Amino acid sequence: MAVECAEIRRHHRVGIKDIAGIHLPTNVKFQSLAYSSVDTEETTEPYTTEKMNQVPGGYLALTECFKIMTVDFNNLQELKSLATKKPDKIGIPVIKEGTLDAIMVWFVLQLDDEHSLSTSPSEETCWEQAVYPVQDLADYGIKPGDHVMMEVSCQDCYLRIQSISVLGLECEMDVAKSFTQNKDLLSLGNEAELCSALANLQTSKPDAVEQTCVLESTEIALLNNIPYHEGFKMAMRKVLSSLTPEKPCQTMDTHCQNNETSSGTGQSNTVQSILEPFYVLDVSEGFSILPIIAGTLGHVKPYSSVEKDQHRIALDLISEANHFPKETLEFWLRHVEDESAMLQRPKSDKLWSIIILDVIEPSGLIQQEIMEKAAISRCLLQSGGKIFPQYVLMFGLLVESQTLLEENAVQGAERTLGLNIAPFINQFQVPIRVFLDLSSLSCIPLSKPVELLRLDLMTPYLNTSNREVKVHVCKSGRVTAVPFWYHMYLDEEIWLDTSSEASHWKQAAVVLDNPIQVEMGEELVLSVQHHKSNVSITVKQ
């Protein structure tokens, strides 16, 4: 089924052209890791998986459900033929107007003539659905009368859906006229090949030199996170402004650079040569444009810690498109012996003005060894320099969630046909559920959010690694879990919420071994501990 889904879109397509004043050039082509290319041999799974009935914002079906293929696992000859079979060309009529974001796939498992299992999102199932994000279209808008075209194959043990395109009704009629005047094209033969040719005509592009930058879904969601980049830009500007004795040129742009280089007296050049640049180091994991944003805020020497060559090339192209002088952006790993020595001085006699650390993992957990990294970073800052974020507040609340309970542990013997496997299986349950979306989690809040923990990277004596928190119960019910998230403070006025709608972070939850019945007006005491980047939450009774 072809679907519209904003959540899939923001994790697999960069949907903006400018980020905090940085222009993304057209010659940098961002691509999801879950993209299945026709021209290259992919070694990763050409899809992602989601529980589509729990995706934040839901999804809209743009086509009827359609059959992709049938596989008989008892037919050895048929299974062997899949490896050499040419891709099937499929064209599906559109029934609703919307944005084509993905092809959602589920399966019907026929056990015998009478019994079957479905992995459809409309069924109560333990399975997720396969999601094939749609990318590289000139226009993702579709409407009734259009056809979604695709090629389906299973040549390398992966079900691949490739060459997704849209054949519009108007285009189909116009091109059909030209077919009547072109005998060569009529030799295409069957209708499926004809449809494919029409789709290719619609999606063909002029030759252009492009740099493909393949990103994880969380990295694409980060690029689409506007509040994140705007917040960092404001916070960095405040720090750099406080460190600047005088500001002959606050923001680097082409006009300013031209004035400096064409000055007859040479006074601007003298000022620039006397003033040392501010050194900014971004050691956050994955692809980040924060160093480029920092480079627009004055006389700054930004360093990026990206590792992959394609990411470095993409950042260089973005810098060039934004008129950065050559060699403004540096890649820090070229200056250090190995990754373990990442945190050190920019030069033997220099210190950093800003160091950006990754405090929270995309999964919703605290990064390992973050307090140790913060301790080293504090020693590498110039007077007045800052670590970003400066501190983090962890929030949580009490909830009743049957979904979390059932997904975290086997509940009794009824659902396992009387077999008492729960005591054994539940020994291996994880203490914390990660990658949660609280906005779509099926749960009943039993309290208001409360502050659970403070992690201070700049002022360590303010940390609260062990504390007891009293939580007022606002609604009667069974406490089954304590979901938690973070507010990351870049300074006292600028902070980022990891549970917000635009956030690229997910949330996590501690699921209780034994649910606790509570009544409205009661108080529960939570014991919260943070030790070596691990958080534990227990209920004191």
Side-chain angles (χ1 to χ4, degrees):
M1 175 186 290
V3 299
E4 173 183 291
C5 180
E7 185 71 3
I8 297 296
R9 186 189 316 144
R10 79 182 186 96
H11 278 84
H12 295 279
R13 286 208 302 267
V14 177
I16 50 181
K17 296 180 180 179
D18 294 276
I19 303 175
I22 299 299
H23 173 66
L24 301 181
T26 56
N27 63 333
V28 176
K29 178 183 174 185
F30 294 105
Q31 193 175 94
S32 167
L33 194 61
Y35 179 69
S36 180
S37 174
V38 182
D39 302 321
T40 59
E41 294 183 5
E42 300 288 339
T43 57
T44 57
E45 295 176 343
Y47 52 82
T48 184
T49 59
E50 297 281 351
K51 277 214 164 188
M52 292 298 287
N53 58 1
Q54 296 179 14
V55 167
Y59 67 91
L60 174 68
L62 302 178
T63 67
E64 300 283 3
C65 60
F66 54 91
K67 185 172 72 173
I68 289 181
M69 66 170 57
T70 301
V71 178
D72 185 351
F73 289 99
N74 290 309
N75 187 330
L76 184 59
Q77 190 63 35
E78 181 180 321
L79 292 174
K80 288 181 177 179
S81 68
L82 288 176
T84 56
K85 184 181 178 183
K86 291 184 178 180
D88 292 326
K89 298 178 174 64
I90 300 176
I92 306 300
V94 175
I95 61 171
K96 282 188 180 179
E97 184 173 359
T99 303
L100 178 58
D101 293 318
I103 306 298
M104 175 175 65
V105 174
W106 66 90
F107 300 89
V108 176
L109 311 174
Q110 200 71 40
L111 305 181
D112 57 27
D113 292 337
E114 298 179 0
H115 302 91
S116 64
L117 297 173
S118 173
T119 68
S120 165
S122 61
E123 301 283 342
E124 285 192 24
T125 174
C126 60
W127 283 290
E128 296 181 334
Q129 290 74 48
V131 176
Y132 293 78
V134 177
Q135 301 182 57
D136 203 25
L137 296 185
D139 184 5
Y140 295 90
I142 59 176
K143 59 185 181 302
D146 294 343
H147 281 72
V148 178
M149 315 300 298
M150 66 196 77
E151 293 183 356
V152 179
S153 64
C154 192
Q155 296 177 346
D156 56 356
C157 300
Y158 288 123
L159 175 63
R160 294 187 178 275
I161 299 179
Q162 304 176 137
S163 303
I164 301 173
S165 59
V166 178
L167 181 60
L169 181 61
E170 299 85 355
C171 178
E172 185 176 358
M173 294 175 63
D174 291 343
V175 181
K177 291 179 182 178
S178 68
F179 266 77
T180 62
Q181 301 171 3
N182 192 325
K183 295 181 180 180
D184 294 333
L185 289 176
L186 287 174
S187 64
L188 279 171
N190 61 52
E191 181 181 354
E193 289 180 338
L194 177 64
C195 289
S196 178
L198 291 171
N200 289 336
L201 284 173
Q202 184 191 11
T203 57
S204 61
K205 297 180 178 179
D207 291 336
V209 177
E210 292 183 332
Q211 171 61 37
T212 299
C213 183
V214 180
L215 301 177
E216 298 276 355
S217 61
T218 51
E219 293 174 311
I220 293 179
L222 172 58
L223 281 178
N224 286 321
N225 189 343
I226 295 176
Y228 174 92
H229 294 97
E230 293 288 355
F232 267 96
K233 182 177 183 178
M234 289 188 291
M236 288 191 292
R237 178 184 282 125
K238 289 169 67 175
V239 171
L240 296 175
S241 295
S242 71
L243 298 173
T244 306
E246 58 179 298
K247 303 177 279 294
C249 181
Q250 178 64 35
T251 304
M252 186 202 76
D253 54 29
T254 308
H255 176 71
C256 175
Q257 295 170 55
N258 290 340
N259 285 345
E260 289 178 2
T261 55
S262 63
S263 173
T265 62
Q267 183 176 359
S268 295
N269 288 332
T270 303
V271 171
Q272 288 296 90
S273 63
I274 294 175
L275 291 177
E276 277 291 330
F278 295 117
Y279 294 95
V280 175
L281 175 62
D282 178 10
V283 291
S284 56
E285 295 183 7
F287 187 82
S288 170
I289 66 164
L290 291 180
I292 299 180
I293 294 174
T296 68
L297 301 177
H299 192 34
V300 175
K301 185 66 174 175
Y303 287 80
S304 167
S305 63
V306 297
E307 301 176 35
K308 298 179 181 178
D309 288 338
Q310 57 168 308
H311 292 178
R312 293 178 180 180
I313 294 171
L315 288 175
D316 277 336
L317 290 174
I318 295 172
S319 299
E320 181 181 334
N322 287 272
H323 311 295
F324 270 46
K326 195 173 180 63
E327 307 300 329
T328 296
L329 177 65
E330 293 273 4
F331 297 105
W332 186 233
L333 289 179
R334 293 176 179 170
H335 299 266
V336 296
E337 293 181 3
D338 56 65
E339 212 173 325
S340 63
M342 185 84 75
L343 292 171
Q344 55 181 278
R345 289 169 175 254
K347 295 181 180 179
S348 60
D349 60 338
K350 303 299 178 187
L351 294 168
W352 300 102
S353 301
I354 295 173
I355 297 178
I356 301 171
L357 298 178
D358 248 348
V359 179
I360 308 301
E361 296 179 359
S363 65
L365 295 180
I366 297 172
Q367 286 276 5
Q368 293 296 304
E369 300 181 348
I370 186 59
M371 301 312 293
E372 292 82 353
K373 293 177 182 176
I376 298 173
S377 298
R378 287 193 297 272
C379 301
L380 300 174
L381 291 174
Q382 71 171 94
S383 177
K386 300 294 181 184
I387 298 172
F388 285 155
Q390 296 189 35
Y391 64 93
V392 175
L393 298 182
M394 176 178 167
F395 289 86
L397 79 163
L398 309 176
V399 301
E400 178 177 343
S401 174
Q402 189 65 23
T403 299
L404 281 180
L405 207 59
E406 293 178 356
E407 291 183 353
N408 196 63
V410 178
Q411 304 297 312
E414 181 180 344
R415 300 189 183 186
T416 53
L417 303 179
L419 297 175
N420 189 25
I421 65 171
F424 173 72
I425 294 295
N426 291 346
Q427 293 181 58
F428 304 99
Q429 69 187 72
V430 294
I432 297 180
R433 284 292 311 279
V434 295
F435 285 108
L436 296 177
D437 280 301
L438 290 185
S439 63
S440 61
L441 177 66
S442 177
C443 68
I444 302 172
L446 303 180
S447 74
K448 293 182 179 179
V450 294
E451 182 183 323
L452 299 177
L453 201 65
R454 178 188 176 106
L455 298 178
D456 202 305
L457 282 69
M458 285 296 297
T459 317
Y461 68 83
L462 295 177
N463 285 332
T464 53
S465 57
N466 296 278
R467 65 180 302 198
E468 291 186 353
V469 181
K470 290 183 178 180
V471 185
H472 182 75
V473 177
C474 299
K475 185 180 179 65
S476 300
R478 287 197 316 155
V479 179
T480 59
V482 184
F484 56 88
W485 62 96
Y486 311 88
H487 289 178
M488 294 175 42
Y489 282 80
L490 306 182
D491 60 30
E492 291 295 337
E493 299 174 341
I494 303 172
W495 53 276
L496 304 170
D497 184 353
T498 67
S499 67
S500 71
E501 184 179 345
S503 174
H504 62 283
W505 290 286
K506 300 296 185 181
Q507 296 81 55
V510 171
V511 183
L512 304 186
D513 292 333
N514 301 300
I516 299 173
Q517 184 67 40
V518 294
E519 300 296 329
M520 184 174 64
E522 291 182 352
E523 279 189 342
L524 279 187
V525 178
L526 300 180
S527 176
V528 184
Q529 293 186 329
H530 174 247
H531 180 64
K532 292 186 177 179
S533 303
N534 295 315
V535 173
S536 66
I537 302 174
T538 56
V539 180
K540 298 192 69 174
Q541 292 181 285

